[in-house]
Amino acid sequence: CTEKQRRVYCQTCGSTRHFTDRCTSIWRSYLTVENANRKMGLPTNIYCYNCAEKGHYGDECPLERTSRVPNLDGSAFSGHNLPQQLR
Amino acid sequence: KIKNDVPWIKNHDHSTQKEIADWLTLEIKDFIAYISPSKEEIELRNNTVRKLREAIMELWPDCEVHVFGSYATDLYLPGSDIDMVIVSEHGGYESRNSLYSLSSFLKRKNLAKNVEVIAKAKVPIIKFTESTSNIHIDVSFERTNGIDAAKTIRSWITETPGLREIVLIVKQFLSSRKLNNVHVGGLGGYSIICLVYSFLILHPRLSTGNISPYENLGVLLIEFFELYGKNFGYDNVAICVEPDNVCYLNKKYYPDLQGRSSFALSIQDPSDPSNNISRGSFNIRDIKKAFAGAYELLTNGCYDLDTATYKQRIGKSILGNVVRYKGAAR
Ligand SMILES: [Zn+2]
Ligand SMILES: [Zn+2]
């Protein structure tokens, strides 16, 4: 069935909003610091780019988004972008 | 389309990098090295400042001559002008008389050509070209806020690796699109620095110490354009860059920071909480659009090169789509 082949799906991250060759993981890759096993606490400066509230990042804002440019694939300012052990 | 043949690529090919983000990081470092002033240029600028300072103090022995702006913070691009300010105990050098006597003094001493006295502006200045170096100079009078700002910026640069590099790229990007002139609603140098500084301090990976900014300049540059081109809530959010407290403020509670229209960039002045540094940048709509465009250009460059063969990648540039710099190496 050709319909199925054309459906948007990313084999890298499983998203159904972009194809594999447009996956943000292609460029959103970080070179992390060596001694990652030292203790890390949640940062105290988590602020929301959408409502300015402290405690959540803009991608997770419960209020209506004010920017009219869509953010379909998520941005750097998301709880998911914290280092793994803090997510 | 991916650019090739940009000047900073010569002998700096990164096409065999496995990670596209690393390629972009290396290209940013090459570009910074390419546009960074040579030893001769630094000396020429320093000598020009020294010469002018000595001359001005000969005319007015009771004044102090300071530099501020991009020259004082080491964030200048090729052809940037030098900002100087004359201050005194008595505060009297902003008078119309002083402006004209300084301008004729500089002309008489053969230190200045193309002299313009702008006496009626809110901030009166003298603009001229220094005769031997051909560097453009702006002299203002009896204002210390520029000196304070330069001090703040210098401390940010020392504490925040990566800040200088991203600021220079964003400056070059905006200047190639003529969106850096505050007199026509563009984004000024201080505002650009505050945007980059706030972005770096609040970034989830940097605030946790998980990554070092200098080794991740590529992804961070894209994410800078992502934040301010796509996501930032210009209508509600103001930026605060107080020492030890970089945060966002809800504009609703800060009437001083609200502009004439609700869609406006608002950056609280760390040395005057009631002042919005970016209040002159009324063309924020085009600036936001340009940032979003830079995000598209950079990410599309990454996607195209990621699927290209190594042979197709040779000599290609990712940054060349965005910064358009044609000048010679310095
Ligand atoms: Zn994906
Ligand atoms: Zn929010």
Side-chain angles (χ1 to χ4, degrees):
Chain A
C1 159
T2 54
E3 189 58 28
K4 204 168 189 176
Q5 281 178 337
R6 249 185 272 129
R7 193 184 291 159
V8 177
Y9 178 72
C10 172
Q11 288 167 332
T12 312
C13 72
S15 167
T16 51
R17 285 181 294 260
H18 58 254
F19 289 109
T20 313
D21 62 353
R22 314 289 288 181
C23 185
T24 51
S25 68
I26 289 169
W27 54 266
R28 207 191 303 280
S29 70
Y30 303 95
L31 202 65
T32 53
V33 207
E34 281 293 322
N35 55 345
N37 56 347
R38 74 209 155 96
K39 274 199 185 140
M40 257 194 296
L42 263 188
T44 53
N45 59 354
I46 295 179
Y47 286 92
C48 173
Y49 61 66
N50 188 56
C51 74
E53 273 298 305
K54 192 174 183 165
H56 65 269
Y57 286 116
D59 280 16
E60 282 86 42
C61 186
L63 302 183
E64 200 189 332
R65 183 176 163 82
T66 58
S67 172
R68 281 190 239 152
V69 186
N71 174 28
L72 301 175
D73 295 322
S75 83
F77 291 87
S78 157
H80 302 289
N81 198 27
L82 284 163
Q84 203 127 37
Q85 57 268 52
L86 297 176
R87 261 171 236 168
Chain B
K1 270 270 139 44
I2 297 299
K3 274 263 158 59
N4 43 17
D5 270 351
V6 299
W8 58 90
I9 288 294
K10 293 211 173 84
N11 308 319
H12 295 278
D13 184 73
H14 306 298
S15 61
T16 57
Q17 281 297 318
K18 243 181 102 198
E19 291 286 340
I20 294 288
D22 293 340
W23 178 345
L24 185 54
T25 296
L26 292 167
E27 215 193 307
I28 290 171
K29 293 179 183 176
D30 293 338
F31 177 75
I32 298 297
Y34 188 83
I35 58 154
S36 289
S38 63
K39 219 173 140 198
E40 291 74 30
E41 190 179 340
I42 295 170
E43 275 167 15
L44 183 70
R45 284 188 173 241
N46 293 351
N47 288 337
T48 304
V49 167
R50 192 177 314 127
K51 199 160 67 177
L52 288 169
R53 178 181 281 137
E54 278 165 14
I56 295 167
M57 294 195 62
E58 190 187 314
L59 177 70
W60 294 329
D62 63 345
C63 80
E64 282 178 40
V65 183
H66 295 270
V67 287
F68 65 102
S70 63
Y71 169 77
T73 53
D74 191 26
L75 288 166
Y76 54 92
L77 292 169
S80 290
D81 43 14
I82 297 180
D83 299 299
M84 304 182 86
V85 60
I86 294 170
V87 291
S88 66
E89 293 268 312
H90 55 76
Y93 286 128
E94 205 181 59
S95 71
R96 202 172 273 230
N97 269 346
S98 327
L99 260 72
Y100 287 107
S101 62
L102 178 62
S103 90
S104 51
F105 173 78
L106 292 171
K107 274 187 268 190
R108 203 167 56 237
K109 286 237 147 199
N110 276 327
L111 284 166
K113 55 186 184 193
N114 311 324
V115 187
E116 260 182 282
V117 179
I118 304 166
K120 281 186 191 157
K122 220 172 97 191
V123 181
I125 55 168
I126 303 178
K127 287 171 110 47
F128 61 91
T129 309
E130 200 277 329
S131 304
T132 34
S133 64
N134 281 321
I135 297 172
H136 294 272
I137 315 280
D138 276 7
V139 183
S140 55
F141 301 83
E142 307 291 9
R143 274 157 211 267
T144 50
N145 49 352
I147 308 168
D148 298 339
K151 207 180 288 168
T152 306
I153 294 163
R154 278 199 300 266
S155 75
W156 290 350
I157 301 253
T158 337
E159 293 157 19
T160 325
L163 176 60
R164 178 168 180 269
E165 288 76 13
I166 298 181
V167 165
L168 286 171
I169 303 263
V170 173
K171 267 192 163 183
Q172 178 59 37
F173 167 75
L174 288 173
S175 105
S176 71
R177 278 152 184 84
K178 302 202 164 36
L179 290 168
N180 65 331
N181 186 348
V182 262
H183 302 295
V184 288
L187 208 52
Y190 195 14
S191 296
I192 296 173
I193 294 160
C194 291
L195 289 185
V196 180
Y197 180 63
S198 155
F199 160 79
L200 289 174
I201 296 293
L202 298 178
H203 192 286
R205 297 278 180 157
L206 292 168
S207 61
T208 49
N210 180 246
I211 64 168
S212 114
Y214 193 66
E215 302 312 320
N216 288 276
L217 288 170
V219 56
L220 291 171
L221 180 68
I222 298 178
E223 288 174 340
F224 171 89
F225 290 129
E226 175 186 67
L227 175 62
Y228 296 111
K230 296 177 66 179
N231 298 322
F232 191 78
Y234 292 92
D235 298 88
N236 303 331
V237 184
I239 291 169
C240 166
V241 286
E242 255 171 49
D244 306 315
N245 185 30
V246 176
C247 64
Y248 291 150
L249 307 170
N250 191 327
K251 280 192 197 175
K252 205 164 52 186
Y253 308 118
Y254 296 84
D256 288 336
L257 300 179
Q258 273 159 2
R260 266 167 290 171
S261 89
S262 70
F263 186 81
L265 177 61
S266 160
I267 301 168
Q268 189 179 45
D269 186 340
S271 61
D272 175 6
S274 67
N275 180 39
N276 172 10
I277 292 167
S278 58
R279 72 185 175 285
S281 305
F282 56 81
N283 196 9
I284 195 66
R285 231 166 258 284
D286 286 344
I287 294 164
K288 181 188 176 186
K289 242 184 255 169
F291 284 165
Y295 170 87
E296 294 298 330
L297 286 170
L298 287 173
T299 54
N300 287 336
C302 291
Y303 298 141
D304 289 354
L305 287 175
D306 190 59
T307 49
T309 64
Y310 282 111
K311 202 177 157 193
Q312 289 167 324
R313 287 172 167 211
I314 292 170
K316 293 286 190 293
S317 159
I318 310 175
L319 200 57
N321 288 324
V322 169
V323 291
R324 295 184 197 156
Y325 180 75
K326 286 260 157 65
R330 296 167 85 190

